[in-house]
Amino acid sequence: STRKESSAASDVYKRQIAYSSLMEVINQLILSNDLGYIKDKDYQELRLRAEKISNMLNALRNFQSGG
């Protein structure tokens, strides 16, 4: 049971890192768009992709927590 608990804690940690990294990418996208480094069209497309990834991470969290 301890191995399962350790694995579950590791999964939560990895998911939190993935989500934090995604938020960092989104912030970089916002900054890049504000500074004119990327076009609005590219920004919108990348934000949609990030939103899909966020939804997948939330679904994974719900699945892993049994909800």
Side-chain angles (χ1 to χ4, degrees):
S1 178
T2 304
R3 178 172 271 176
K4 264 188 180 178
E5 290 169 1
S6 176
S7 178
S10 177
D11 289 345
V12 167
Y13 177 75
K14 290 174 188 175
R15 193 181 64 246
Q16 288 174 340
I17 294 294
Y19 186 79
S20 297
S21 295
L22 177 62
M23 293 301 107
E24 186 175 343
V25 166
I26 289 172
N27 283 317
Q28 293 297 322
L29 283 173
I30 293 167
L31 185 59
S32 296
N33 189 23
D34 287 349
L35 294 174
Y37 290 115
I38 60 175
K39 298 175 186 174
D40 287 341
K41 180 181 176 186
D42 294 331
Y43 169 77
Q44 291 298 328
E45 180 183 331
L46 292 168
R47 278 300 299 258
L48 284 174
R49 288 183 186 190
E51 187 176 329
K52 288 179 183 180
I53 293 168
S54 177
N55 290 339
M56 287 188 279
L57 288 170
N58 284 328
L60 178 61
R61 180 194 56 169
N62 291 337
F63 174 77
Q64 289 176 333
S65 67

